[in-house]
Amino acid sequence: MDPIVLLANWFEGVLVGWGAPPWAVNLILSVLGIALLCTVMLLIAIWCVWVERKVVARFQDRLGPNRIGPYGLFQPFTDIIKLLIKEDIEPKGIDKVPYNIAPILALATVLTLWAIIPLSPQVLGSDINVGVLFIVAIGAISTLGIIMAGWSCNNKFALLGALREVATMISYEVPMVIALMIPVILASSMGINKIVESQSPLPYIFVIPLAAVIFLICSQAELGRAPFDLSEAESEIVAGYHIEYSGMKFGMFYAGELLHAFTVGAIFSSLFLGGWSGPFVDRVPVLGVFYLFIKSLFIYWVIMWIKYTLPRLRIDHMLSFNWKFLTPLSLALLMVVAVLHKLLQNANPWVYILGMLVGNIAVGAIALAISRRQVKVERKEFQTNRSVARPPESSPTAPIPDSGGD
Amino acid sequence: MTALQVIFILVAAATLGAALMTVIVGNMIHAALWLIVSLFGIAVVYVLLNAGFLAVAQVVIYIGAIAILVIFAIMLTRSVAVDQGTQINSNWGWGAVLALALFGALVWVLSSWPGINTGAQALPVGQDTVLQLGEALLAPNQYLLVFEVASVLLLAALIGSIMIARVRKES
């Protein structure tokens, strides 16, 4: 028996024993569950600060925080105390209400995502049948928070940063939604728990690896992390949409960003790595929480690995990568997977997995071959007119020609 | 009154209030934000109707796409997005009369409809409503034609917008 479920059942019994009506019992249990989950997640966010700083230090050949506590473990607490006692500055000319709602939205949307992630077979907030779409909807609301932050603080740099971030998010949402459709096709359900359960012989990463890669890339863009961190540019627009925030309001953006990365890890592991499933989960269900966290942390580490290894992309490169490569690729993959699913539906599961794998690899290889050819053409174009100092032949006010090469 | 009805009245009041604020406030961005509150209220109404898919689709499409588009459009306009003039013009009286007449007519039509007092049928337990919706959209004897026509329309709009935005090569 799951200790969390056991505890909930015991508490329910106590409440009923006190003579509480069933709806009140339900309400109290739900509120307690929400409070518990949010608290645990916020504590994880605090710990994520330490993990992030330690990992980036290792990638950059430094030690990272190492003064306060063993291995610098208490560093995040001092950071929080610093954020809490900082002056809460409200710049002139701000739009007060959106300015104050934006950091709440930034953190609350991330916490809301945990409502549908199954922690173990029985412990999950809400097993809605549109779970995958729910993730997309919450992403839409977090976009709104960024726009509000950028617009309300009356700073041009913040607005520019917000517009860049939102442009990234709404364009990378397209291939992300299509990539999310692929596990939905395989599991024949949009509920996250059903998707986790249907990854029985092998997790989906071995069945549809290309969809997993597309989802990871798009999540990286959705998180606004390098190589897609265009909203952050130290020399031109500083830190993007949250320049004007100080103290704990900035802290909420920061915590939301870190927790979002961990949450994306959890979503990725639920959709592609089998979520809570692992050895002995059927006998000891609470192990599922442990497996999910291990997998999420691994994906979180992969996200950090990409972030601290790759340089920042230029905005036109980033957008053309999305619209000219990822979107057509994900559409083609969706069609191939849908057809293969119908063809192999009644076949032996291993034949099904092999067929899907071959289909994915073929689509990926064809896409890479096409883009390699395109790159050769583009490279030739750039090699021919190298001279930088030559004045443009057209009028000086002519727009800069698009280097996308279409 | 059940708890569900109380929640419905609160949500409906918030939705209508936000819709009213959308047309009252002078600041265009504030109007767009109030519009989002109103659209979100409609999503909550869908949730109360047990229509989870519609609720999530409402948030994805109306808040995630249309509202963001509206905000972008406002930001691209010339002024500081603040309307200095009055919110109403000289025809407000006629507008109010027409709106009231329309509301009265709708109330009259609905109250003369016999189904107004019967409660909605409970959803059959154990059936995936999303699955049923998907099958209905793609079944030839149900909504397949409408679905395909809508997708062709959207494709036409997409191509049209690309044609408008395309930089013409000068000869």
Side-chain angles (χ1 to χ4, degrees):
Chain A
M1 194 65 184
D2 204 315
I4 303 169
V5 176
L6 204 69
L7 208 64
N9 286 347
W10 169 77
F11 194 65
E12 196 181 342
V14 168
L15 283 177
V16 171
W18 286 348
W23 63 267
V25 173
N26 243 331
L27 189 73
I28 292 171
L29 277 180
S30 311
V31 169
L32 270 182
I34 293 167
L36 192 70
L37 188 67
C38 288
T39 312
V40 169
M41 286 309 139
L42 288 173
L43 287 176
I44 286 179
I46 294 174
W47 182 62
C48 278
V49 176
W50 178 80
V51 171
E52 177 105 14
R53 291 182 65 177
K54 249 347 205 194
V55 172
V56 60
R58 287 292 160 186
F59 277 116
Q60 296 172 348
D61 205 11
R62 302 184 276 121
L63 281 176
N66 59 0
R67 293 286 133 179
I68 304 165
Y71 306 103
L73 254 174
F74 299 146
Q75 182 72 38
F77 295 99
T78 56
D79 285 350
I80 288 170
I81 292 167
K82 185 195 83 176
L83 283 174
L84 279 174
I85 59 177
K86 253 181 152 179
E87 189 191 350
D88 179 34
I89 301 168
E90 285 197 343
K92 267 188 187 170
I94 57 162
D95 202 341
K96 252 201 169 135
V97 177
Y99 178 85
N100 288 316
I101 291 178
I104 299 173
L105 271 185
L107 190 55
T109 47
V110 179
L111 286 176
T112 314
L113 283 176
W114 282 93
I116 53 150
I117 297 173
L119 297 176
S120 80
Q122 281 117 41
V123 181
L124 76 168
S126 168
D127 192 12
I128 52 175
N129 59 354
V130 285
V132 170
L133 210 56
F134 183 85
I135 297 174
V136 181
I138 296 300
I141 297 178
S142 71
T143 318
L144 196 67
I146 289 171
I147 282 200
M148 276 161 75
W151 182 78
S152 63
C153 63
N154 192 26
N155 182 324
K156 289 187 176 65
F157 299 122
L159 186 57
L160 275 177
L163 287 182
R164 283 193 194 178
E165 177 91 16
V166 170
T168 319
M169 284 172 83
I170 55 179
S171 14
Y172 276 83
E173 210 167 51
V174 175
M176 192 174 91
V177 172
I178 300 170
L180 280 174
M181 286 300 297
I182 292 167
V184 170
I185 289 179
L186 262 64
S188 320
S189 170
M190 283 204 281
I192 305 277
N193 208 22
K194 190 93 178 288
I195 292 178
V196 171
E197 275 165 9
S198 61
Q199 305 180 34
S200 52
L202 268 185
Y204 281 163
I205 186 135
F206 300 113
V207 187
I208 39 171
L210 191 55
V213 170
I214 294 174
F215 180 72
L216 191 63
I217 293 174
C218 295
S219 309
Q220 190 96 6
E222 196 90 349
L223 287 170
R225 291 189 157 220
F228 305 104
D229 58 341
L230 288 148
S231 65
E232 223 174 289
E234 291 79 0
S235 53
E236 24 169 332
I237 55 168
V238 207
Y241 57 91
H242 52 57
I243 317 172
E244 293 291 354
Y245 287 90
S246 71
M248 209 50 215
K249 284 179 194 160
F250 167 74
M252 283 175 85
F253 278 114
Y254 189 56
E257 204 182 305
L258 293 178
L259 192 59
H260 197 180
F262 182 72
T263 310
V264 162
I267 294 170
F268 186 93
S269 21
S270 293
L271 291 175
F272 296 105
L273 297 180
W276 43 256
S277 49
F280 306 116
V281 163
D282 41 353
R283 262 173 288 164
V284 194
V286 80
L287 270 177
V289 182
F290 175 71
Y291 289 136
L292 180 75
F293 275 47
I294 291 290
K295 289 168 182 172
S296 312
L297 277 176
F298 175 71
I299 297 299
Y300 182 32
W301 180 77
V302 170
I303 289 170
M304 281 190 279
W305 183 20
I306 300 169
K307 173 175 178 179
Y308 295 116
T309 312
L310 294 176
R312 194 172 288 151
L313 286 172
R314 223 170 63 194
I315 191 155
D316 59 327
H317 287 173
M318 184 198 78
L319 289 178
S320 59
F321 174 65
N322 176 52
W323 291 111
K324 294 177 186 167
F325 184 75
L326 275 187
T327 307
L329 174 65
S330 52
L331 276 173
L333 183 66
L334 178 68
M335 285 188 247
V336 168
V337 167
V339 169
L340 279 178
H341 178 73
K342 267 285 163 230
L343 284 180
L344 301 173
Q345 209 169 17
N346 300 320
N348 181 353
W350 291 102
V351 175
Y352 180 88
I353 288 170
L354 198 70
M356 280 289 174
L357 191 62
V358 169
N360 268 262
I361 292 172
V363 171
I366 293 169
L368 280 183
I370 294 173
S371 68
R372 195 168 292 142
R373 220 155 137 206
Q374 181 67 22
V375 162
K376 261 183 203 157
V377 174
E378 267 178 43
R379 208 167 277 160
K380 213 170 265 171
E381 231 168 71
F382 279 102
Q383 275 162 355
T384 46
N385 30 15
R386 291 277 303 173
S387 83
V388 186
R390 191 175 53 188
E393 281 119 26
S394 50
S395 65
T397 53
I400 301 156
D402 178 23
S403 56
D406 52 330
Chain B
M1 216 189 293
T2 63
L4 206 62
Q5 277 169 323
V6 174
I7 295 173
F8 172 75
I9 288 173
L10 288 179
V11 169
T15 309
L16 285 179
L20 192 66
M21 287 304 282
T22 308
V23 287
I24 288 178
V25 290
N27 189 322
M28 292 276 273
I29 295 275
H30 286 178
L33 293 178
W34 279 113
L35 180 67
I36 289 168
V37 175
S38 168
L39 293 171
F40 194 78
I42 293 171
V44 178
V45 172
Y46 282 136
V47 171
L48 294 179
L49 288 172
N50 261 336
F53 179 77
L54 278 185
V56 177
Q58 166 88 8
V59 173
V60 171
I61 295 166
Y62 283 92
I63 297 180
I66 293 179
I68 302 280
L69 200 69
V70 166
I71 290 178
F72 266 53
I74 293 169
M75 283 178 177
L76 291 174
T77 49
R78 191 167 39 88
S79 68
V80 207
V82 181
D83 198 351
Q84 303 292 350
T86 168
Q87 299 288 311
I88 48 177
N89 62 14
S90 56
N91 284 330
W92 70 273
W94 288 110
V97 168
L98 266 177
L100 273 178
L102 185 65
F103 182 71
L106 279 175
V107 168
W108 180 70
V109 167
L110 278 177
S111 59
S112 60
W113 176 49
I116 188 82
N117 283 322
T118 53
Q121 279 182 345
L123 281 174
V125 184
Q127 282 185 3
D128 195 350
T129 47
V130 181
L131 186 75
Q132 284 176 336
L133 180 70
E135 279 175 352
L137 278 179
L138 289 178
N141 55 355
Q142 293 191 54
Y143 304 105
L144 178 67
L145 185 68
V146 186
F147 184 76
E148 291 298 329
V149 167
S151 56
V152 170
L153 183 71
L154 286 176
L155 184 67
L158 207 66
I159 295 172
S161 63
I162 291 172
M163 283 306 290
I164 291 171
R166 202 170 68 129
V167 181
R168 281 175 204 278
K169 297 249 164 69
E170 270 148 54
S171 51

